[in-house]
Amino acid sequence: MSERPDPPTTQAPPGAADLAARFEREFGRLPDGVWQAPGRVNLIGEHTDYNEGFVLPFAIDKTARVAVAVRQDSTVRLLSTYGDQGLVTADLAALAPGSAKGWTKYPLGVVWALQQRGIAVPGLDLLLDSDVPLGAGLSSSHAIECAVITALNELSGAGLGPEDMVLATQRAENDFVGAPTGIMDQSASLRGSKGHAVFLDCRDQSVQLVPFDAESAGLVMLVIDTKVSHSHADGGYASRRASCERGAEALGVKALRDVRSRDLPKASSLLDDVTYRRVRHVVTEDERVLQTVELLVSDGPGAIGALLDASHDSMRDDFEISCPELDLAVETARTSGAIGARMTGGGFGGAAIALTPVEAEARVRAAVERAFSEAGYTAPEIFTVTPAAGAKRIS
Ligand code: GLA
């Protein structure tokens, strides 16, 4: 494990110059800079973050990028390359929960959250581009928020450290966007590092970077986007969170982080069946995260397949946040050669991951595509990801 920062980028990656040129065409002047932040895949540790537990996500090689220039007035003008809303204009003094629509909720939510901390955010022109698939459970919204907060932290001179940027983006999500999510996604996006997973203790935000090099173990990490879209502002996520809070209260602990699997027999006598199974998922998932970290360090990625499988089964049976498409993706990947597979992210749709030997990749892809077609499901999108750097300025 290490805390090694990523080396500074010496060359602007493709995309920064194009985005700056597009910004100049749209806004009639050059941006002050271009910033990027990645989406994430969670290797393991699902619905443990808001229970003050452990997570092990990594930043992926798909990013949101923002070109931004400061204005001298209190206007924010927002445009995206998706082109779905055209130019959106807002006034800094009028931002409030419920005042924004579509993707503009994310940048405006960040501006609002910084204002709530007493930070004077200047007027802005902003152009967004992103290749993080939307609604796939890869945290496209946090990628936008983290790119924006990294830009605004610099442009406003706020000087926030990563822990405070994590909390500010969580405030944006919880109170402006209206999704009661935890701190995993933005921690991965802001604190990720090439070649590493981010082992995060969600109680105190301490981070250890754990080497995760699938390639040198002869493996690839496949993402299977089921195309079933989900939103954490819908009821399922909030109801799981409420069950966990009820469980912690009934068991007399601050958070489920404080319960161990040896406490489960007693918990089963104190809780109703549904709450008990929600609690059992969180408690066993925390333990799986710790075991995964140990195994990655001692034996490498080839050793963690069974833990990925157990995590999925627990989400399917105890936490009940999977769906038939995710179960089919996971089951088919396993039976056609993956060494471990699980849904990733908040659930109710989105993506599964399958850790797969290089020589089985084509077979797994073909088997999943065939299974989806035979079941009459929309064709999935399947691609590989590798652990990439966290948010940064790229030009
Ligand atoms: C979503 C949330 C995270 C986390 C996961 C589930 O991605 O944004 O905070 O709770 O679901 O692990």
Side-chain angles (χ1 to χ4, degrees):
M1 284 184 257
S2 72
E3 279 282 355
R4 184 161 49 80
D6 292 306
T9 310
T10 47
Q11 252 189 349
D18 290 348
L19 197 64
R22 170 96 182 248
F23 183 100
E24 190 179 14
R25 283 201 303 281
E26 301 286 357
F27 292 110
R29 62 186 173 136
L30 283 169
D32 295 331
V34 181
W35 289 260
Q36 79 173 18
R40 64 98 189 90
V41 149
N42 189 15
L43 199 49
I44 196 161
E46 225 65 85
H47 288 262
T48 46
D49 60 352
Y50 54 78
N51 290 299
E52 301 187 14
F54 303 103
V55 292
L56 190 62
F58 61 83
I60 60 174
D61 44 340
K62 294 187 181 296
T63 58
R65 294 167 293 278
V66 290
V68 185
V70 166
R71 296 173 59 93
Q72 298 311 315
D73 58 16
S74 68
T75 301
V76 179
R77 295 194 299 168
L78 305 156
L79 188 66
S80 84
T81 56
Y82 326 152
D84 56 347
Q85 286 191 80
L87 185 72
V88 173
T89 301
D91 190 85
L92 283 174
L95 293 180
S99 65
K101 288 199 192 67
W103 71 270
T104 66
K105 280 187 287 209
Y106 308 119
L108 292 175
V110 167
V111 172
W112 175 83
L114 290 174
Q115 289 175 333
Q116 300 306 302
R117 290 182 157 244
I119 294 165
V121 180
L124 306 164
D125 288 335
L126 181 151
L127 176 64
L128 166 75
D129 186 32
S130 176
D131 63 359
V132 186
L134 297 178
L138 302 179
S139 234
S140 54
S141 60
H142 284 96
I144 299 172
E145 289 167 1
C146 291
V148 171
I149 201 164
T150 305
L152 296 189
N153 195 36
E154 190 178 328
L155 292 171
S156 70
L160 298 178
E163 291 90 348
D164 280 325
M165 289 202 274
V166 163
L167 295 178
T169 50
Q170 186 189 23
R171 178 101 200 260
E173 276 281 317
N174 291 176
D175 298 337
F176 195 90
V177 176
T181 48
I183 61 167
M184 170 172 71
D185 304 339
Q186 53 278 67
S187 299
S189 184
L190 289 165
R191 307 181 74 178
S193 168
K194 191 168 166 31
H196 294 84
V198 177
F199 174 36
L200 172 70
D201 180 338
C202 299
R203 176 156 271 172
D204 63 7
Q205 284 205 56
S206 57
V207 157
Q208 284 176 308
L209 297 176
V210 182
F212 182 73
D213 183 0
E215 197 184 334
S216 68
L219 299 165
V220 287
M221 180 58 90
L222 287 177
V223 172
I224 304 164
D225 176 2
T226 63
K227 300 284 178 180
V228 178
S229 73
H230 68 291
S231 160
H232 299 322
D234 294 344
Y237 187 97
S239 87
R240 295 308 182 279
R241 189 169 179 156
S243 290
C244 292
E245 281 158 12
R246 265 200 311 280
E249 203 187 332
L251 297 174
V253 291
K254 177 167 178 276
L256 292 182
R257 146 74 171 272
D258 300 312
V259 183
R260 301 282 174 278
S261 52
R262 63 170 178 270
D263 304 322
L264 286 173
K266 181 159 178 240
S268 79
S269 66
L270 294 171
L271 303 172
D272 64 83
D273 175 58
V274 170
T275 310
Y276 172 66
R277 287 187 293 113
R278 306 297 188 245
V279 167
R280 183 167 62 183
H281 164 70
V282 173
V283 171
T284 57
E285 185 78 351
D286 265 337
E287 294 177 353
R288 282 187 287 272
V289 175
L290 300 178
Q291 288 163 12
T292 302
V293 170
E294 267 175 33
L295 279 178
L296 281 177
V297 172
S298 62
D299 297 315
I304 66 168
L307 288 163
L308 302 184
D309 288 350
S311 170
H312 184 80
D313 296 352
S314 176
M315 288 187 283
R316 183 192 59 211
D317 302 334
D318 275 356
F319 220 59
E320 296 180 282
I321 52 170
S322 190
C323 65
E325 292 84 349
L326 284 167
D327 290 341
L328 184 65
V330 163
E331 197 49 44
T332 310
R334 285 176 189 166
T335 53
S336 58
I339 64 164
R342 62 185 286 277
M343 51 150 280
T344 187
F348 308 103
I353 53 172
L355 192 55
T356 305
V358 173
E359 63 277 9
E361 180 186 344
R363 193 165 70 238
V364 170
R365 283 175 179 264
V368 172
E369 278 160 10
R370 193 171 52 245
F372 269 57
S373 156
E374 281 170 11
Y377 297 156
T378 304
E381 194 163 339
I382 306 177
F383 49 90
T384 58
V385 287
T386 53
K392 60 185 174 186
R393 184 175 185 147
I394 53 170
S395 127

